[in-house]
Amino acid sequence: MTKVTVTKSSLKNLKSNLLVMPFAAKDLKKDAAKTLETFGLDKGALKDFKGKAGDSLVVYSGGSKLKIPRVLLLGLGDAAEMDDFRKSSYAVAQQAKCLRVQSLVFDCSSITAWAHNTGETTGAVAELLVDSMLYGLYSFERLKSGKLEKKKGKEEKVQLGELKIRVNAGSVKETSEAVRGGEIIADARKLARDLVNLPGNLLNADDIADAARKSAEKSGCKVTVFHKEEIEELGMGGLVAVNKGSRNPPTFTILDYEPASEPVATVALVGKGVTFDSGGISLKPSNAMEEMKCDMAGAAAVIGAVEAASLLGLPMRVIGFIPATDNMPGGAAQTPGDVITTYSGITVEVGNTDAEGRLILADALAYAIQHYKPDAIIDLATLTGACIVALGYSVAGLFSNNDRFAGRIYEAGRRSGEKVWRMPVWEEYDELIKSEVADVHNTGGKGAGSITAAKFLEKFLDGHKTWAHIDIAGPAFSSKGGNKNQGGTGFGVRLLIDLLRAWE
Ligand code: BES
Ligand code: MN
Ligand code: ZN
């Protein structure tokens, strides 16, 4: 746990292990030399420091006027976009981990100027700094017993216990208030990442429901969990069919956050919760199959987003819907060619059991719309490999039947740094998911794999006019990035919170 505090004490009086001194690239010549001189630090360091966003250089402050032994020169780039601050604070976190510091002071004396340059409030910049630093400090350690390390005689794990943000007296109040928001969002993203990082043997559908329950207890929202029999009775044929090959029963969880006063809107969030996707009888190739523990990242993002919405006290009702199961090829598994009846009554020919996400989402979308009549409905899912082919690993696919709504989500993506790019759901694509024997087919053949998946989901909206589907197959999980930043990213939480905050 990292404690975040705000201080207006002068840098010369503060004590900690590391002092972060940020500089915009264009101010480097003018400001940095002067600042270093003021504190009695060696200006030679500036030869090796360019000030690009995320650049950093550690200098040791022995003999200077500081009580802090090390200074991290931090580049802010142009310091003109929120992304500059996101990158820089992320770099601070990496350095803090590397240097194993227990406490650091981040000099944010210029925070009002930064806010001015980015066109944001001081609070928004402070929130982002806190959130990004906490995000960068994340590592997934809970499955390590520590036994091997001890044998090698390694010292104990050190983690940043205290993060002090230094601002001028006039910014203390606004910054302090924003710190809480940053912590709420960072916690929600951490929760999502932890869930994604847990492997299939440690996180099944029941565990997802439990995680949702725990989150609801923390944030004060209502939770309902449907178990196997209820799911069968409700007629959720998609979820039942995907679950057939598994030893673990499915769950369908509803998280309901209602604001204290009359809600300005009701927003439904649906998250794909496939705890492990083997492909089922249409088995996936073994290469990188282990990464399919990430197939519940949509569910994780929804749990995180509802939690944050509730703790931030947002003015709309936000309801999360989480259909959960693994997709396994057991003896009772559904087989290619099966025809199933989904919750809506629409029948589906299951041409490929590996196109399972859309089957469980079909039930959840129809259920959410029928029972809650939301003003808007958004689903998040690691739905198609084709989306990675199209957009890569840092951008999500956006599909919507509503141009204005899509535009708002696009903007939220730009602001939050969790970017989305829209693809069409034109009627030309309907042709591809026609079935000879049922109402619709669950795959669309070779081309346009992400779009046909979205077109499939669209069939279950019962005419709802404000829907968006976000395919997070790429950005939900990182297999690269060294052992520290690998794994679940929590993608979607920030995006959704940003969208909800800007609701119109
Ligand atoms: N969970 C996968 C999609 C996926 C792939 C997520 C890679 C993350 C990384 C999904 O259930 C799936 O298997 N989709 C198939 C659909 C196909 C059978 C029509 C795919 O993308 O190959
Ligand atoms: Mn699949
Ligand atoms: Zn899947």
Side-chain angles (χ1 to χ4, degrees):
M1 274 291 285
T2 306
K3 192 171 149 223
V4 186
T5 56
V6 178
T7 175
K8 58 180 197 297
S9 300
S10 93
L11 293 179
K12 284 181 189 159
N13 294 332
L14 284 164
K15 286 186 188 151
S16 87
N17 306 132
L18 178 71
L19 170 63
V20 179
M21 281 190 181
F23 298 101
K26 64 174 175 3
D27 302 332
L28 206 55
K29 286 226 173 70
K30 180 162 61 75
D31 288 356
K34 222 168 60 195
T35 311
L36 294 181
E37 209 170 272
T38 310
F39 291 111
L41 291 161
D42 184 359
K43 284 183 289 185
L46 293 177
K47 279 195 214 108
D48 298 329
F49 180 69
K50 297 284 170 289
K52 275 194 293 180
D55 273 3
S56 65
L57 182 71
V58 184
V59 298
Y60 290 82
S61 43
S64 78
K65 295 174 186 150
L66 292 165
K67 296 192 173 112
I68 303 176
R70 308 179 189 85
V71 174
L72 182 75
L73 304 180
L74 177 69
L76 296 176
D78 295 333
E81 279 175 51
M82 290 300 248
D83 242 357
D84 295 328
F85 294 98
R86 213 172 272 126
K87 274 190 207 143
S88 321
S89 23
Y90 192 73
V92 172
Q94 297 316 311
Q95 287 287 359
K97 276 201 269 192
C98 240
L99 297 166
R100 306 165 76 82
V101 300
Q102 276 153 309
S103 104
L104 74 77
V105 174
F106 195 153
D107 178 20
C108 296
S109 309
S110 305
I111 195 163
T112 49
W114 299 340
H116 182 79
N117 288 347
T118 52
E120 301 278 345
T121 62
T122 295
V125 175
E127 183 190 279
L128 175 128
L129 293 175
V130 170
D131 171 34
S132 308
M133 260 182 292
L134 296 178
Y135 186 88
L137 288 168
Y138 177 86
S139 61
F140 185 67
E141 306 287 344
R142 74 159 87 160
L143 303 183
K144 298 202 191 259
S145 69
K147 286 220 160 114
L148 290 172
E149 271 86 355
K150 258 184 218 135
K151 259 190 221 139
K152 278 190 260 152
K154 263 200 190 169
E155 58 205 282
E156 244 183 89
K157 272 233 133 46
V158 182
Q159 65 161 345
L160 188 70
E162 189 173 36
L163 166 59
K164 289 186 214 171
I165 298 181
R166 198 275 160 190
V167 294
N168 292 329
S171 309
V172 169
K173 190 162 172 277
E174 196 176 347
T175 305
S176 306
E177 281 162 7
V179 164
R180 181 71 194 121
E183 287 175 328
I184 289 171
I185 293 168
D187 273 357
R189 299 167 88 194
K190 177 179 181 313
L191 169 62
R193 298 176 83 177
D194 278 347
L195 292 173
V196 172
N197 286 332
L198 283 169
N201 68 327
L202 300 179
L203 185 91
N204 59 32
D206 279 332
D207 298 319
I208 293 234
D210 285 347
R213 190 171 273 134
K214 233 172 103 192
S215 161
E217 263 161 33
K218 175 178 170 191
S219 74
C221 56
K222 211 179 101 193
V223 62
T224 313
V225 179
F226 293 121
H227 294 280
K228 187 169 180 176
E229 274 121 67
E230 294 150 300
I231 290 166
E232 283 167 353
E233 264 162 42
L234 281 167
M236 297 195 149
L239 184 52
V240 168
V242 173
N243 182 253
K244 274 170 74 184
S246 172
R247 306 195 305 170
N248 307 310
T251 54
F252 180 56
T253 302
I254 303 173
L255 279 169
D256 191 352
Y257 158 62
E258 286 195 78
S261 48
E262 183 64 22
V264 298
T266 297
V267 182
L269 304 176
V270 181
K272 170 176 172 181
V274 173
T275 54
F276 184 77
D277 182 10
S278 73
I281 295 295
S282 312
L283 197 63
K284 283 184 181 299
S286 53
N287 178 29
M289 196 202 266
E290 71 209 59
E291 290 183 6
M292 282 303 119
K293 69 174 182 180
C294 82
D295 215 15
M296 32 54 68
V302 167
I303 297 172
V306 177
E307 176 178 304
S310 174
L311 291 172
L312 291 169
L314 299 190
M316 64 282 292
R317 185 175 181 192
V318 184
I319 316 170
F321 299 86
I322 296 144
T325 177
D326 46 7
N327 184 26
M328 297 296 280
Q334 64 172 339
T335 51
D338 283 3
V339 174
I340 62 172
T341 304
T342 58
Y343 180 75
S344 57
I346 294 172
T347 60
V348 178
E349 180 183 358
V350 182
N352 188 323
T353 65
D354 197 14
E356 85 296 341
R358 62 197 77 183
L359 301 179
I360 70 172
L361 290 172
D363 286 340
L365 287 166
Y367 184 93
I369 289 168
Q370 184 185 322
H371 292 268
Y372 290 85
K373 308 207 165 19
D375 298 301
I377 184 160
I378 306 172
D379 71 78
L380 281 88
T382 45
L383 205 62
T384 64
C387 203
I388 306 178
V389 175
L391 297 173
Y393 287 95
S394 40
V395 176
L398 170 66
F399 307 80
S400 179
N401 57 1
N402 183 316
D403 291 347
R404 256 181 50 96
F405 191 45
R408 279 157 55 198
I409 298 173
Y410 172 79
E411 288 303 331
R414 292 298 302 259
R415 282 192 305 265
S416 66
E418 296 191 334
K419 293 180 188 150
V420 300
W421 188 255
R422 192 176 181 193
M423 291 199 258
V425 282
W426 289 319
E427 62 183 28
E428 281 84 343
Y429 297 98
D430 270 319
E431 198 60 38
L432 299 171
I433 50 171
K434 280 199 172 137
S435 165
E436 293 293 323
V437 296
D439 296 336
V440 61
H441 195 279
N442 82 328
T443 63
K446 255 196 169 203
S450 304
I451 298 174
T452 50
K455 289 302 285 181
F456 179 91
L457 298 177
E458 196 188 24
K459 305 266 180 232
F460 299 88
L461 301 177
D462 196 21
H464 199 291
K465 289 282 178 288
T466 312
W467 159 74
H469 156 58
I470 304 177
D471 192 332
I472 58 172
F477 188 86
S478 166
S479 44
K480 290 195 296 241
N483 57 4
K484 288 294 178 211
N485 303 310
Q486 212 158 286
T489 61
F491 188 98
V493 175
R494 260 231 91 110
L495 171 71
L496 290 170
I497 293 304
D498 198 295
L499 175 73
L500 293 172
R501 277 177 161 170
W503 204 259
E504 23 182 284

